[in-house]
Amino acid sequence: MRVDFQAALPEETAIRRDTAYLRLAAEIATESRGSGNHPFGALLVGPEGDVLMSSGNTYARDRGVGHAEANVCRAAAQRYHPAFLARCTLVTSVEPCCMCAGACYWAGIGTVVYGLSERRLAELTGDNPENLTLDLNCRQVFAAGRRPVAVRGPFPELEEEIMNGHRDFW
């Protein structure tokens, strides 16, 4: 799948592109919730704008370690060379937790785009034992590494849309 955009200024095009992919990640999160999993979705976008793979959360199968982002990163690392992944973007409905940021880093993915921050997610989930968030944002995880990972997010204009998928879940 490729997302096409009308002519616009480069920054506007990037924002519209990110927004379109984030909405797709939110749709994947809704599908994940509908199949009995946690409401998270992620996708890998290639250098030419193609969606190469996607995943929802797989909590029902693996009880917590199958986060959408980690699922995509694991599959991407198995399928693609690190030099290619350095030019790819992981797009995710919610900021990658430290486990998922680590998976992205070790897979070699060059850019992360997320909609809702981990802190906002923590406000929604509270002390739910199925999602005890760590107060460690992905930028901190990437800053501790030896190779750069670009990060864009959160996107406040999509916050309500993404949060709706989490309401009455936790």
Side-chain angles (χ1 to χ4, degrees), residues 123-141:
E123 292 172 12
L124 289 171
T125 62
D127 290 332
N128 187 301
E130 291 185 10
N131 198 55
L132 294 171
T133 60
L134 295 166
D135 190 15
L136 181 62
N137 69 58
C138 70
R139 284 178 173 88
Q140 290 173 286
V141 174

Side-chain angles (χ1 to χ4, degrees), residues 41-127:
L43 51 109
L44 182 69
V45 178
E48 303 301 318
D50 294 332
V51 175
L52 304 174
M53 61 180 62
S54 64
S55 179
N57 179 280
T58 52
Y59 184 86
R61 182 175 66 228
D62 55 43
R63 311 312 298 166
V65 296
H67 292 192
E69 304 89 339
N71 292 340
V72 169
C73 292
R74 187 179 315 103
Q78 292 170 352
R79 187 173 301 165
Y80 301 108
H81 190 275
F84 176 76
L85 289 174
R87 298 174 22 234
C88 292
T89 302
L90 177 74
V91 179
T92 178
S93 55
V94 177
E95 180 177 8
C97 70
C98 58
M99 175 181 74
C100 293
C104 181
Y105 178 83
W106 287 109
I109 297 169
T111 302
V112 170
V113 172
Y114 68 89
L116 185 70
S117 74
E118 179 83 355
R119 282 230 168 125
R120 289 294 286 137
L121 175 66
E123 292 172 12
L124 289 171
T125 62
D127 290 332

Side-chain angles (χ1 to χ4, degrees), residues 143-161:
R146 298 180 72 175
R147 120 183 127 64
V149 177
V151 178
R152 295 190 297 274
F155 282 68
E157 65 273 23
L158 298 177
E159 186 171 291
E160 277 303 309
E161 194 174 324

Side-chain angles (χ1 to χ4, degrees), residues 9-37:
L9 297 173
E11 185 174 335
E12 289 173 350
T13 301
I15 291 169
R16 287 186 10 208
R17 180 182 61 235
D18 287 349
T19 299
Y21 290 127
L22 283 165
R23 285 199 165 105
L24 181 54
E27 288 176 27
I28 295 165
T30 299
E31 292 169 8
S32 180
R33 179 178 176 163
S35 66
N37 292 291

